[in-house]
Amino acid sequence: LITIRELYREKEKFIGKEITVGGWVRSIRDSKAFGFIVLHDGTYFETLQIVYHDTMENFAEVSKLNVGSALIIKGELVATPDAKQPFEIQAVSIEIEGASQADYPLQKKRHSLEFLRTISHLRPRTNTFQAVFRVRSLIAYAIHKYFQDRDFVYVHTPLITGSDAEGAGEMFQVTTLDLEKIPFTPEGKVDFKEDFFGKATNLTVSGQLNGETYAMAFRNIYTFGPTFRAENSNTTRHAAEFWMIEPEIAFADLKDDMALAEGMIKFVIRYVLENAPEEMKFFNEFVDKGLLERLTHVMNSDFGHVTYTEAIELLEKNNDKFEYKVSWGSDLQTEHERYLTEEIYKKPVFVTDYPKDIKAFYMKLNEDNKTVAAMDLLVPGIGEIIGGSQREDDYDKLTARMDELGLKKEDYDFYLDLRRYGSARHAGFGLGFERCVMYLTGMGNIRDVVPFPRTVNNCEL
Ligand code: 4AD
Ligand code: MG
């Protein structure tokens, strides 16, 4: 079978030839002696028009087909210089691979994203989701390319783990224990010693701690895998299962970390604009007018930089505009992040040096003893898409901080070893893959950039 993508790529080679294509009916109409089918084959954003005639022996049967039917079509590809599309097929034969029933939920009209969310197994057949998921695939590839071109080693960190990398307690527990007859310790706690791993385990919230161990062996590494968070936040940018990219670089500080992040975002934007022009044009027209102009600008200008302390000063002046008022020490909410990046900077901005008390235990303490070498990258329309930091590489400072937070050092023995045996300056960050896809497509809801979203109260398919 020839694909529609191949036809567009090498039009000259196929015009005037008899070819065979396979795909699904997007729309079909007929008059007495002939009919038209708009065929989509999933390989390219454009569709292909098929003209068929009553000289075909199954003309009547074909004319009765419903939208969604799967067909194999043989015919001549003819140029159509006056039509919207450059060519069409004059069918010689149409083989019905699988007819679609009349109650097919995807009809020719535009469906709302809310409705399409209820049929996540069928929505990839629509224009919008064809564009979203092809671009999602390309972004993943571009991210790998960015790191591989720079000799980073891709590390597969485990999904089942015994630690809470972020210390936020937002974990899905993993257990094989029978909930009906859970074994309890004499103190009345669940006895995880009886469980599969002989201890309590959970799905990973981040691959960072494991990633750091490989950075201390390979220097530059990255992870790219699923992460899980049981955050009870029902927002347009939180999913319970999402993918994260976590590079970790040795002999590097926070500045190097930010340069790596900025370079990556720009590389990925350029890659997608070059490799999915039809899809990006579609988003620009139907999803987010101004997307292309914005991304082009981002690609060609420097990101902003502001310290947390400066950001709070800027935000405090606008406290009347916020639901949550900020002061030094407050965690930034989405409304504050968006205000900074949309109203003040109007471009991506790194916020650095947050108070240690609102960040994770592993971040490097700054000389002021109050802030840590952390950075969040905020972008218009979303807020935080990247969180990163230089890591505390000093054994004494790290263990002191763990004691302050009441973390059990035995649980982090492997992590502390990195500070015992040849500790080196290092830094890294985590890019939320879905948020990156939202940013590049203009899609407003994380549920619409994940093939099968998992959010609070929703785990279908
Ligand atoms: O800021 P976070 O929590 O940072 C970490 O996990 C670090 N270990 C990263 C590192 O330094 N290696 O998460 C990183 C990013 C966020 O900026 C956000 O884009 C995304 O992960 N993220 C989520 N995306 C979707 N749904 C959620 N529930 C998310 N939680 C975080
Ligand atoms: Mg964060």
Side-chain angles (χ1 to χ4, degrees):
L1 294 185
I2 306 288
T3 65
I4 297 181
R5 185 173 288 271
E6 286 170 306
L7 294 182
Y8 272 85
R9 203 184 275 152
E10 289 180 283
K11 183 176 145 197
E12 289 71 29
K13 189 169 133 192
F14 296 109
I15 297 274
K17 303 259 161 58
E18 188 171 282
I19 59 171
T20 309
V21 296
W24 293 271
V25 175
R26 271 283 172 82
S27 67
I28 180 162
R29 67 196 156 87
D30 66 286
S31 54
K32 275 198 193 78
F34 57 94
F36 297 99
I37 293 170
V38 173
L39 192 80
H40 189 259
D41 80 347
T43 66
Y44 196 56
F45 200 67
E46 301 292 342
T47 51
L48 181 62
Q49 173 157 281
I50 314 291
V51 188
Y52 64 100
H53 297 270
D54 60 359
T55 46
M56 242 170 40
E57 62 179 78
N58 60 351
F59 178 80
E61 205 188 339
V62 168
S63 297
K64 276 196 278 235
L65 284 171
N66 294 308
V67 174
S69 298
L71 307 176
I72 304 285
I73 294 154
K74 199 193 279 182
E76 186 190 338
L77 189 74
V78 295
T80 51
D82 301 326
K84 204 174 111 228
Q85 297 196 318
F87 40 66
E88 65 186 22
I89 287 190
Q90 291 288 337
V92 176
S93 73
I94 296 183
E95 192 187 312
I96 301 167
E97 178 99 2
S100 181
Q101 298 190 16
D103 61 355
Y104 186 56
L106 297 174
Q107 294 303 323
K108 210 182 155 215
K109 64 168 194 159
R110 262 177 96 84
H111 297 285
S112 74
L113 295 173
E114 288 76 12
F115 167 70
L116 292 171
R117 258 172 239 150
T118 67
I119 46 169
S120 52
H121 58 306
L122 298 175
R123 70 177 180 170
R125 304 176 182 202
T126 63
N127 268 338
T128 303
F129 290 96
Q130 281 278 310
V132 168
F133 292 114
R134 185 175 302 281
V135 167
R136 183 178 161 116
S137 159
L138 284 173
I139 295 173
Y141 180 72
I143 289 170
H144 278 294
K145 186 163 166 50
Y146 178 75
F147 289 113
Q148 295 282 341
D149 283 354
R150 286 159 184 73
D151 296 326
F152 281 57
V153 173
Y154 177 29
V155 180
H156 293 110
T157 51
L159 300 189
I160 301 177
T161 150
S163 58
D164 177 5
E166 293 304 305
E170 293 159 337
M171 301 179 299
F172 288 100
Q173 292 218 326
V174 175
T175 182
T176 56
L177 294 176
D178 182 344
L179 292 180
E180 308 276 295
K181 32 187 176 183
I182 281 184
F184 288 102
T185 63
E187 297 81 51
K189 296 212 167 132
V190 177
D191 191 356
F192 285 107
K193 283 204 194 65
E194 301 289 310
D195 206 349
F196 189 91
F197 295 106
K199 66 179 208 172
T201 54
N202 54 277
L203 295 178
T204 187
V205 295
S206 153
Q208 180 195 322
L209 303 191
N210 297 82
E212 278 184 57
T213 70
Y214 272 63
M216 289 298 108
F218 287 94
R219 282 188 61 167
N220 292 343
I221 64 98
Y222 69 106
T223 74
F224 191 155
T227 47
F228 308 86
R229 294 200 185 172
E231 282 162 294
N232 198 2
S233 24
N234 208 345
T235 76
T236 54
R237 46 173 228 160
H238 286 91
E241 178 179 304
F242 62 99
W243 286 59
M244 200 164 19
I245 295 92
E246 296 187 273
E248 194 70 34
I249 48 180
F251 304 105
D253 61 15
L254 193 67
K255 275 209 177 69
D256 302 315
D257 202 29
M258 289 189 281
L260 183 72
E262 182 167 341
M264 173 192 70
I265 297 285
K266 288 176 175 172
F267 178 88
V268 174
I269 293 175
R270 186 178 304 278
Y271 189 88
V272 168
L273 290 177
E274 278 170 10
N275 289 281
E278 291 82 8
E279 284 82 356
M280 295 307 285
K281 218 175 104 220
F282 171 85
F283 293 129
N284 195 55
E285 219 164 291
F286 296 105
V287 174
D288 179 0
K289 296 216 161 44
L291 177 73
L292 289 181
E293 197 188 309
R294 206 166 63 235
L295 292 178
T296 308
H297 176 68
V298 169
M299 201 165 69
N300 296 312
S301 55
D302 293 335
F303 291 7
H305 287 264
V306 63
T307 65
Y308 168 87
T309 303
E310 291 161 350
I312 289 291
E313 280 166 18
L314 292 168
L315 291 168
E316 268 181 322
K317 293 193 192 119
N318 296 285
N319 257 339
D320 55 314
K321 301 194 180 85
F322 304 133
E323 191 182 337
Y324 294 95
K325 316 293 171 202
V326 292
S327 58
W328 201 93
S330 347
D331 210 350
L332 300 185
Q333 308 288 328
T334 305
E335 56 173 339
H336 311 122
E337 294 176 344
R338 293 190 54 174
Y339 191 83
L340 276 172
T341 180
E342 287 165 26
E343 305 297 328
I344 300 184
Y345 286 90
K346 302 188 194 312
K347 62 178 179 181
V349 57
F350 286 107
V351 180
T352 61
D353 306 291
Y354 285 78
K356 65 175 181 180
D357 292 326
I358 57 170
K359 288 291 181 188
F361 75 97
Y362 51 70
M363 297 188 180
K364 189 170 182 63
L365 193 61
N366 285 329
E367 272 166 14
D368 60 13
N369 278 322
K370 283 193 327 202
T371 60
V372 286
M375 61 93 159
D376 276 6
L377 179 64
L378 316 180
V379 297
I382 298 172
E384 176 190 343
I385 63 167
I386 286 178
S389 63
Q390 186 170 343
R391 317 309 188 187
E392 185 55 80
D393 48 84
D394 182 277
Y395 181 87
D396 294 330
K397 286 190 188 153
L398 182 59
T399 48
R401 184 66 185 143
M402 290 173 74
D403 289 340
E404 259 173 45
L405 293 168
L407 295 176
K408 283 197 250 146
K409 288 201 281 287
E410 327 67 279
D411 291 351
Y412 297 87
D413 228 18
F414 77 95
Y415 194 65
L416 293 172
D417 270 359
L418 304 179
R419 280 76 184 164
R420 288 189 189 104
Y421 307 127
S423 191
R425 238 174 335 125
H426 63 292
F429 64 79
L431 167 69
F433 183 57
E434 283 72 18
R435 292 195 189 167
C436 180
V437 178
M438 290 170 74
Y439 183 51
L440 266 74
T441 57
M443 296 296 287
N445 195 317
I446 197 163
R447 292 164 182 79
D448 298 327
V449 300
V450 187
F452 302 103
R454 274 90 179 88
T455 51
V456 183
N457 283 324
N458 171 41
C459 183
E460 262 147 51
L461 269 76

